[in-house]
Amino acid sequence: MDEEQLDLKAGARLLLNELKRQWVSLGLALFAALLWTVARIAIPVLIGITIDEAIDLPGGTDLDLLLWFMLGMLGLAALQGGGASMRRYFAMRTSHRVEADIRMQFYASISRLSFDFYDKTATGQLMSRASTDVHEVQMLTVMIPINFAFLLMAAGSFIVLAFIHVWLALLGLIVYPMVTIITVRFFNKLFPATARVQQGLGELTSVVEENIAGSRLVRSFGREDHEIARARKVADQIYEDNMEVARLRTTYGPLFFLLPTIGQLTILAYGGWLALNGQISAGEFVAFFQLLNMLIWPVQGLGEMIASGQRALTSAARIWNILKEQPTVRQKPNARSMPDGHGEIEFDNVRFSYFPGQPVLRDFSLKVPAGTSIALVGPTASGKSTVAQLLPRFYDIEDGSIKIDGVDIRELNLQELRSNVGLVFEDTFLFSDTIRNNIAYGNMDATEQEVMKAAQLAHAAEFIERIPEGYDTVVGEQGFSLSGGQRQRIAIARAMLKETRVLILDDATSSVDAHMEEEIRNALRIVMEGRTTVIISHRISTIALADQVVLVDQGRVVDIGSHADLLSSNPRYQEVLGQVEARV
Amino acid sequence: MMFHGPPTIERRNGSGPEIQTTHVIRPLLRLLAPLWVMAAVAIASICIFALANLARPIVIQQAIDDGIIKGDGDAIVVASIWFFALGIVIYVVQAISTYTVTWVGQQVLRNLRMRLFSHYQRLSMSFFDKEHSGRLVARMTADMNALSDVLNSGFLMIVQALLLLLGAIVILFLLSWQLSLVSLAILPPLIIATMIFRVYSERAYDAVRDRIADVMIHMQENFAGMRVVQAFARERQNAEHFDRINEHNYEANLRTVRISSMYIPFIEWLGGAGIGIILYFGAGAVFGVDVSVGTIVAFIFYINFIFQPIQQLSQVYDMMQSGFSALKKIFGLLEIEPEVVEPKTPATLSLPVRGQIDLDDLSFGYSKDIPVIKDVNIEIASGQRLVLVGPTGAGKSTLAKLMMRFYDPTMGRILLDGQDIRQFSFKDLRRSIIMVPQEGFLFSGTIRENILFGRPDATDDEVVAACQSLGVHSFIEALPDGYDTAVSYRGSRLSAGEKQVVSISRAFLADPPVLILDEATSSMDPGTEAIVEGAIRRALEGRTSIVIAHRLSTAEQAQRILVVNDGRVIEDGSHAELVSAGGYYTSLYERWIEHGNAAGG
């Protein structure tokens, strides 16, 4: 997915649609923001009025009036607090609702897509969209109500001040829009710089991970100094990028302070002069000063939101690019359910390629009678695993047909088809869940006894029972680490528990040692009974389980026969199995 | 902080080795010592910043009282000049402190990162066996980040907040101690509310971190394992499951907001109440003390100087705590000494290395009470080809690792050309003996770079020559970008067998006098394995080699076979001798024949 096209308009549409769905919550947040703003502006004004009307009087302080003003102040403070609280609550509610909804849509949309999508898209790509990009959108959403308030506050303050003295208001506030503009520029520069820092930290993490995982190799080849130099390069880069961030902060940070100071200085000098001449009162002078002080933060906040909005739109567009993807394998509108039968498989002149123009299977024809088993044997990249992937319709073929029990698989209900084809993959994937749930993955209704029986058949029970928590042990990336052979045995148990007509074992015993393989083989023999089985393996002993051996080379069926027949008659077969030393 | 940035699927890590709090200060100071000039500038600029900020309300007070109220124009001019001067001072010291604080922090971090990384290079394999790798990575990532927060902003915020807080209180009392006492009455509820809020909100944020980690883990797993999900037709159930997790995360987020929704109005109300109190009691002359209008305005400003620092300090408190515990973990790790150490004055290894290896009464166990190697004596003549067979866990790999000196034996010794390997420098020893492990490990980079790892100064032609001698040149050429195919330690598209090809090529390029192959071809497909095994046999002619076999076909043609079982050598001889001996090897061989493995050819 390099050089991705970003449709910012589609991103904006996505965002607006989400906001529209949350309009009640968002509306309440905006209403609360309005209340908050009114209180925020009223407080400095009230301070000014208090000074003029109750304190700075020729006859001394008017205590009764002062008490009323003070109560008014407490009331305004309560309004401000309540408004702030309500604004925050509904803003967060809106933004997290939007976040959760987008994430769910994203997840559901990815689950629908076909294998070709996963082939071309790295998990990290998806994760960064589901985390960083969704987070950007949430950050923008949460900022909307407070920035609405900030805008009101800026406008309201100007109006109030202009009523007191237009020129003083203009001169005092003239620098503030500059702060907003500079903030936008600052964040637009800061963001790529901090992203570089993050990227550097990510690189350092992979250097360290790799170094620790390969620590034995580093020592074997005495490459410690080389590794240190590699880490130093990244650490130096992180330092440089961090200092670049520091330079930006040093350039811009103090400006955010200096510019408002110029505004305040105007009030102090010009406003002070006006007050001396009696054109404004002492209280009005104080109100001016307070309001300007209060506005420092909002004008920066507005700049930050504009910068954040630009990023959020890009993020939304990146999310949209996934949401709009359509699955290539689709169920027909009136798909039929599985026909009766026991799993007869027929490949008829199948042509298939992962990339256009590079066919992996060509004129591939093969018929497996129900209940029998075949072993697919061939050199690396001959197309054997592809055959296994086509049967559950993970990809659609280009030409020819694949039938199960006489019906083209494209006519069938997809869910039913996949429930009827059991698959043990070459690389075993377990989920971060208990061993029990991993075994029951394809058959959630399985009883405890059924799970244990499957585990026993797959020779997994023996090691599971030795782990302290047994079947309740959580495995997967976060959990208890199992050896390759142990994982594979769980995967075999998982496939055994699923009642299927067809079973595909794609190099399923590759990571168990010879002794264990012998025992699993016995288990496989039991499971294969009555099911049509496709075995893909290099191990002669495993191949020998099958009724027939099919030699596959360059996407075609080259020879069919028993293992012994092929071994004695077909030199290519001998070569593929390493029984003769091939020419270099 | 909320969870964002690149998805790290790691929950909080265990504590790991920790040390006493007091032991942190000294190494920290040692790290800072060379940077003291900049550190002093940083601290001085922070102090000036705080003082200049504290002076501003006084200037305004003067302008109001002496200027506006008394009607003195000069006082306003003077105040304006002061205000301008203070603005410039603040502008300058803020720039200085921003830059210097980051500079010092980043210097410390860079040095500490490199110290820790270099330390990892010194530690022995026994350390990596015991320590969870995720934890070691976390020291370098999560803990360094926690430290970075403290150094970059935490420290600055604490000093600034404390100076402003204390300065404001002192000035308030100087202006009017009576009014100060009354208005500071809002402090206790502010502090108490802030503390209670911290406790609850920290708990709520912990829950958010756990929930978002659940979300990320679930997504990561499902995106990575989507093929399995679809193969088992579990899309719908998983989506329902994810919906629950996703909603829990939403709920956890709302809980944090509910807590702050109670705290925030209280705090804002207190702020307003403070102003009210100042106005009423200040101007009301309740104590019989006349407080001027300017003083009242200054009070209102100073109250802000108290409000913000208290909230900031409560935020920084957690940051400081995690920074400090990170520092303890990092220094704790730095204190661990390697178990296998290089001799101070290494013996010279006479060249060329003949490759004669003697294991002399060798015993070893990874943990003290469980012996893995029990009193083994083996003499391997220079140039001999030795094959080790035996069941999993017999100790074959351990023997190889001891020869590499990844561990030191608990008893006995290993001699290379007649000298104890503990007397050689690591460089000499590891140039002489190289082991190819079962797992073909790849560093991120290209295939060529990975092979060059064996001998960085080799030319491209030498790389190709090494691969040709192994018979894998055409195999590598057939990969998408040939020798320049990009690979990585994770997520590489190479199969386990292809990785093994690269891994053996790497050792061949290094061309050591003694080569150990630990099931180094086990994952290759049989066709490739037959080619590589044949090439290895020819290439190793005349060189000492120790091959740990996973298949008997490897053993069949060796000069000498050792059968290892339960940490001892139980059989020793040629294939023909052992087959007829009627022992372990014989039964192994018979079972193998039974499965038709020796047929054909």
Side-chain angles (χ1 to χ4, degrees):
Chain A
M1 252 189 214
D2 34 9
E3 293 217 19
E4 186 177 350
Q5 295 286 318
L6 288 179
D7 183 354
L8 293 182
K9 266 191 201 144
R13 233 178 0 251
L14 174 70
L15 201 60
L16 281 178
N17 274 336
E18 284 302 319
L19 288 177
K20 239 183 252 165
R21 286 173 56 191
Q22 303 305 324
W23 70 272
V24 176
S25 171
L26 183 64
L28 284 169
L30 294 178
F31 174 68
L34 179 68
L35 293 184
W36 182 67
T37 308
V38 169
R40 288 279 288 183
I41 297 179
I43 286 175
V45 172
L46 185 62
I47 293 174
I49 294 175
T50 310
I51 289 172
D52 285 346
E53 305 298 325
I55 298 173
D56 189 25
L57 302 171
T61 308
D62 180 344
L63 267 182
D64 290 342
L65 203 53
L66 185 60
L67 186 62
W68 280 113
F69 281 138
M70 194 186 91
L71 290 177
M73 189 71 71
L74 291 184
L76 283 178
L79 182 64
Q80 183 189 332
S85 156
M86 189 175 151
R87 185 206 73 226
R88 249 180 73 90
Y89 177 78
F90 284 107
M92 292 288 236
R93 195 191 162 94
T94 310
S95 71
H96 284 295
R97 194 62 259 165
V98 167
E99 177 193 19
D101 284 353
I102 290 186
R103 207 168 261 152
M104 191 63 221
Q105 275 181 47
F106 188 80
Y107 183 94
S109 149
I110 285 181
S111 305
R112 284 166 45 234
L113 296 175
S114 316
F115 274 35
D116 59 329
F117 175 78
Y118 308 119
D119 293 343
K120 65 177 191 223
T121 316
T123 306
Q125 267 289 329
L126 299 177
M127 284 306 289
S128 89
R129 277 160 222 245
S131 57
T132 317
D133 288 329
V134 172
H135 185 71
E136 284 288 356
V137 171
Q138 187 256 326
M139 288 297 280
L140 174 71
T141 317
V142 82
M143 281 162 111
I144 292 173
I146 196 165
N147 279 282
F148 170 69
F150 285 163
L151 268 179
L152 287 179
M153 214 182 276
S157 300
F158 179 73
I159 293 168
V160 168
L161 293 179
F163 264 107
I164 300 172
H165 196 279
V166 177
W167 280 109
L168 188 58
L170 271 177
L171 285 175
L173 283 172
I174 200 152
V175 285
Y176 279 71
M178 283 163 67
V179 177
T180 305
I181 293 165
I182 290 174
T183 312
V184 175
R185 186 178 300 172
F186 169 64
F187 276 100
N188 281 342
K189 283 189 181 173
L190 183 71
F191 193 73
T194 48
R196 274 198 298 280
V197 171
Q198 285 304 324
Q199 197 188 334
L201 290 174
E203 271 170 45
L204 187 68
T205 306
S206 24
V207 168
V208 176
E209 271 177 356
E210 212 171 274
N211 176 267
I212 290 168
S215 53
R216 190 183 295 163
L217 209 60
V218 170
R219 278 155 191 74
S220 291
F221 289 93
R223 293 300 298 278
E224 290 89 344
D225 290 344
H226 165 84
E227 287 291 297
I228 290 173
R230 201 156 77 107
R232 187 180 306 282
K233 207 173 128 197
V234 182
D236 284 351
Q237 190 58 50
I238 293 173
Y239 170 82
E240 291 300 334
D241 292 337
N242 264 313
M243 287 317 290
E244 176 59 31
V245 171
R247 272 189 286 276
L248 284 172
R249 285 192 196 284
T250 308
T251 315
Y252 286 92
L255 270 185
F256 298 143
F257 166 83
L258 188 68
L259 288 174
T261 298
I262 293 172
Q264 286 172 322
L265 186 65
T266 314
I267 305 297
L268 189 60
Y270 181 47
W273 186 74
L274 288 174
L276 272 184
N277 294 338
Q279 284 177 274
I280 61 171
S281 68
E284 285 166 344
F285 173 84
V286 172
F288 250 101
F289 219 92
Q290 290 278 351
L291 274 173
L292 251 68
N293 207 35
M294 189 185 83
L295 278 179
I296 297 178
W297 181 40
V299 288
Q300 277 184 45
L302 280 171
E304 198 180 335
M305 163 140 154
I306 294 169
S308 155
Q310 294 166 344
R311 288 199 306 276
L313 275 188
T314 315
S315 285
R318 277 161 56 81
I319 295 168
W320 172 249
N321 274 353
I322 303 291
L323 293 184
K324 72 175 186 200
E325 286 275 339
Q326 291 299 326
T328 49
V329 174
R330 264 172 298 207
Q331 184 176 303
K332 282 203 170 165
N334 37 18
R336 56 169 295 181
S337 53
M338 287 294 285
D340 291 335
H342 295 94
E344 183 197 56
I345 304 170
E346 190 180 355
F347 281 75
D348 187 18
N349 281 311
V350 169
R351 191 174 66 223
F352 174 75
S353 57
Y354 293 102
F355 306 103
Q358 292 167 269
V360 180
L361 296 183
R362 22 192 149 195
D363 302 329
F364 186 93
S365 295
L366 178 67
K367 193 163 180 176
V368 188
T372 66
S373 56
I374 54 153
L376 297 178
V377 176
T380 307
S382 56
K384 341 179 266 292
S385 285
T386 303
V387 173
Q389 308 259 335
L390 292 180
L391 212 44
R393 216 185 149 203
F394 291 146
Y395 303 89
D396 270 343
I397 55 178
E398 283 161 22
D399 203 6
S401 67
I402 302 172
K403 288 178 185 156
I404 288 187
D405 288 321
V407 180
D408 192 312
I409 54 172
R410 284 168 291 198
E411 305 291 328
L412 293 171
N413 175 300
L414 204 54
Q415 176 124 7
E416 262 190 63
L417 168 69
R418 289 178 182 168
S419 304
N420 274 289
V421 180
L423 228 161
V424 183
F425 286 93
E426 192 173 346
D427 47 359
T428 317
F429 193 93
L430 298 184
F431 291 87
S432 295
D433 203 337
T434 60
I435 291 183
R436 176 184 299 105
N437 287 346
N438 264 294
I439 294 178
Y441 198 75
N443 184 0
M444 298 283 277
D445 310 322
T447 64
E448 182 79 22
Q449 279 75 18
E450 285 170 325
V451 168
M452 287 170 77
K453 183 149 181 278
Q456 266 154 15
L457 279 175
H459 285 267
E462 41 205 85
F463 76 81
I464 295 171
E465 277 152 20
R466 275 205 306 273
I467 311 172
E469 288 174 70
Y471 288 88
D472 294 318
T473 310
V474 174
V475 292
E477 239 179 285
Q478 294 296 304
F480 194 84
S481 63
L482 299 171
S483 74
Q486 291 172 331
R487 297 161 68 88
Q488 223 154 16
R489 280 180 271 166
I490 290 182
I492 292 172
R494 174 168 72 184
M496 283 176 171
L497 197 57
K498 201 171 138 188
E499 297 289 335
T500 59
R501 290 181 200 187
V502 178
L503 180 65
I504 302 169
L505 304 168
D506 187 354
D507 238 349
T509 56
S510 61
S511 14
V512 293
D513 65 30
H515 173 70
M516 189 57 66
E517 199 232 346
E518 194 180 320
E519 293 184 6
I520 294 177
R521 220 159 46 223
N522 297 331
L524 289 180
R525 204 169 277 141
I526 301 170
V527 183
M528 283 163 60
E529 262 168 45
R531 296 195 206 191
T532 312
T533 310
V534 179
I535 297 170
I536 297 170
S537 179
H538 287 303
R539 286 198 172 175
I540 292 169
S541 41
T542 306
I543 293 169
L545 282 176
D547 301 328
Q548 293 259 294
V549 177
V550 178
L551 178 61
V552 182
D553 203 358
Q554 299 194 342
R556 286 196 181 86
V557 174
V558 179
D559 207 347
I560 302 183
S562 73
H563 169 65
D565 288 349
L566 290 186
L567 200 57
S568 57
S569 65
N570 193 322
R572 180 66 179 144
Y573 188 70
Q574 296 165 6
E575 200 178 294
V576 166
L577 287 184
Q579 294 296 318
V580 287
E581 201 174 301
R583 298 266 154 252
V584 176
Chain B
M1 276 298 275
M2 287 284 306
F3 183 100
H4 75 296
T8 40
I9 306 298
E10 203 162 299
R11 284 174 208 251
R12 302 176 143 196
N13 269 283
S15 51
E18 267 199 39
I19 50 169
Q20 292 268 303
T21 305
T22 45
H23 288 189
V24 172
I25 307 295
R26 201 179 299 217
L28 186 61
L29 288 179
R30 224 175 289 142
L31 273 172
L32 283 169
L35 313 167
W36 72 270
V37 177
M38 277 296 223
V41 173
I43 290 175
S45 59
I46 297 173
C47 292
I48 298 172
F49 176 81
L51 289 177
N53 265 301
L54 285 168
R56 274 156 51 100
I58 301 285
V59 173
I60 296 161
Q61 180 212 14
Q62 300 289 319
I64 294 174
D65 286 350
D66 296 351
I68 296 172
I69 306 279
K70 288 186 189 153
D72 178 0
D74 290 346
I76 288 187
V77 174
V78 171
S80 298
I81 292 171
W82 268 109
F83 195 82
F84 179 71
L86 285 174
I88 295 296
V89 168
I90 292 174
Y91 176 76
V92 171
V93 291
Q94 196 183 348
I96 294 175
S97 67
T98 306
Y99 192 82
T100 49
V101 166
T102 317
W103 188 86
V104 171
Q106 290 305 320
Q107 288 283 346
V108 168
L109 277 172
R110 174 166 68 172
N111 296 343
L112 201 54
R113 281 193 182 110
M114 285 319 295
R115 261 185 67 184
L116 188 61
F117 190 85
S118 306
H119 189 65
Y120 283 169
Q121 309 312 305
R122 282 177 61 230
L123 288 169
S124 312
M125 288 315 297
S126 55
F127 172 79
F128 293 98
D129 296 342
K130 275 182 295 211
E131 277 295 328
H132 195 271
S133 70
R135 195 170 289 164
L136 297 180
V137 174
R139 290 296 89 83
M140 193 63 120
T141 53
D143 288 338
M144 287 291 176
N145 290 346
L147 203 54
S148 164
D149 288 345
V150 172
L151 290 170
N152 280 336
S153 54
F155 175 73
L156 186 109
M157 271 168 81
I158 277 202
V159 176
Q160 227 165 32
L162 278 178
L163 285 172
L164 285 177
L165 182 62
L166 295 177
I169 291 176
V170 169
I171 294 174
L172 283 182
F173 273 87
L174 288 177
L175 285 174
S176 162
W177 65 268
Q178 295 95 334
L179 187 53
S180 297
L181 280 180
V182 184
S183 43
L184 290 183
I186 60 163
L187 269 191
L190 171 64
I191 293 172
I192 292 169
T194 304
M195 275 162 57
I196 295 175
F197 170 69
R198 265 342 279 180
V199 173
Y200 282 97
S201 88
E202 197 47 42
R203 248 183 249 163
Y205 274 110
D206 272 349
V208 168
R209 273 188 287 269
D210 282 351
R211 294 291 86 78
I212 189 73
D214 288 343
V215 168
M216 292 298 149
I217 289 168
H218 183 95
M219 284 199 298
Q220 163 91 37
E221 247 184 24
N222 269 268
F223 295 166
M226 193 55 83
R227 290 178 174 83
V228 180
V229 174
Q230 295 196 352
F232 285 85
R234 279 279 300 254
E235 296 98 315
R236 201 174 41 79
Q237 280 117 309
N238 285 17
E240 281 165 14
H241 186 199
F242 179 72
D243 194 30
R244 274 199 301 279
I245 296 176
N246 196 29
E247 289 304 310
H248 284 164
N249 178 42
Y250 168 70
E251 292 294 332
N253 270 306
L254 272 199
R255 239 185 326 274
T256 67
V257 189
R258 276 190 212 112
I259 292 169
S260 56
S261 301
M262 287 187 265
Y263 171 71
I264 285 170
F266 181 67
I267 291 300
E268 299 228 0
W269 183 79
L270 262 187
I275 296 174
I277 289 172
I278 291 166
L279 284 176
Y280 185 73
F281 288 92
V286 177
F287 312 107
V289 184
D290 198 16
V291 181
S292 67
V293 173
T295 308
I296 290 171
V297 173
F299 253 79
I300 293 172
F301 274 103
Y302 284 123
I303 285 290
N304 252 327
F305 281 157
I306 292 171
F307 255 73
Q308 277 173 1
I310 286 181
Q311 291 177 42
Q312 274 178 357
L313 283 175
S314 84
Q315 279 169 27
V316 182
Y317 179 75
D318 293 315
M319 198 196 274
M320 290 304 272
Q321 262 194 332
S322 45
F324 207 71
S325 93
L327 209 52
K328 279 205 279 190
K329 287 179 208 162
I330 293 169
F331 284 135
L333 199 52
L334 285 173
E335 278 187 1
I336 296 172
E337 285 299 320
E339 283 178 21
V340 176
V341 281
E342 235 175 333
K344 287 216 171 63
T345 47
T348 45
L349 181 64
S350 49
L351 298 172
V353 177
R354 285 176 292 126
Q356 181 198 334
I357 295 177
D358 298 305
L359 310 187
D360 201 0
D361 291 333
L362 201 65
S363 293
F364 173 75
Y366 292 98
S367 56
K368 279 196 182 99
D369 37 343
I370 309 168
V372 178
I373 300 298
K374 302 165 185 168
D375 203 21
V376 167
N377 283 288
I378 308 172
E379 282 174 21
I380 307 168
S382 170
Q384 192 170 53
R385 177 176 151 81
L386 183 76
V387 172
L388 297 182
V389 293
T392 311
K396 299 172 305 228
S397 292
T398 305
L399 279 176
K401 287 174 193 164
L402 287 171
M403 291 181 220
M404 290 296 297
R405 221 189 146 204
F406 286 155
Y407 308 89
D408 277 340
T410 40
M411 294 241 283
R413 50 189 194 146
I414 298 172
L415 307 177
L416 172 64
D417 287 357
Q419 268 181 299
D420 193 323
I421 57 171
R422 280 172 293 199
Q423 293 171 349
F424 298 128
S425 69
F426 283 169
K427 205 172 153 196
D428 277 350
L429 178 65
R430 285 167 185 169
R431 234 179 233 170
S432 311
I433 308 178
I434 282 179
M435 167 177 160
V436 184
Q438 181 177 12
E439 183 214 4
F441 187 90
L442 299 185
F443 290 92
S444 32
T446 63
I447 300 247
R448 187 193 313 281
E449 283 164 0
N450 266 285
I451 297 175
L452 276 172
F453 193 83
R455 186 154 62 87
D457 54 351
T459 64
D460 282 0
D461 290 342
E462 286 172 313
V463 171
V464 171
C467 293
Q468 272 168 343
S469 74
L470 257 181
V472 297
H473 173 68
S474 55
F475 174 83
I476 294 173
E477 289 271 77
L479 292 172
D481 293 309
Y483 284 90
D484 295 316
T485 304
V487 292
S488 72
Y489 138 69
R490 261 191 200 162
S492 150
R493 303 210 82 183
L494 295 193
S495 71
E498 287 164 334
K499 287 180 191 166
Q500 284 187 333
V501 165
V502 178
S503 173
I504 296 185
S505 310
R506 177 154 61 199
F508 259 59
L509 184 67
D511 196 23
V514 180
L515 187 65
I516 305 173
L517 300 171
D518 184 359
E519 306 196 11
T521 59
S522 57
S523 305
M524 296 181 188
D525 69 70
T528 313
E529 188 180 15
I531 298 170
V532 173
E533 281 219 315
I536 290 176
R537 244 192 328 270
R538 283 191 296 274
L540 292 188
E541 211 67 59
R543 189 194 308 245
T544 312
S545 64
I546 296 149
V547 178
I548 298 174
H550 62 106
R551 232 171 271 201
L552 281 191
S553 58
T554 316
E556 266 180 318
Q557 287 143 25
Q559 294 169 326
R560 184 181 172 198
I561 298 165
L562 294 185
V563 180
V564 182
N565 194 10
D566 195 22
R568 291 176 216 276
V569 176
I570 54 167
E571 289 167 36
D572 183 351
S574 72
H575 175 71
E577 284 165 15
L578 292 187
V579 167
S580 54
Y584 181 91
Y585 192 83
T586 316
S587 66
L588 207 63
Y589 186 71
E590 278 166 0
R591 201 161 64 209
W592 190 57
I593 291 294
E594 208 173 287
H595 292 300
N597 278 287

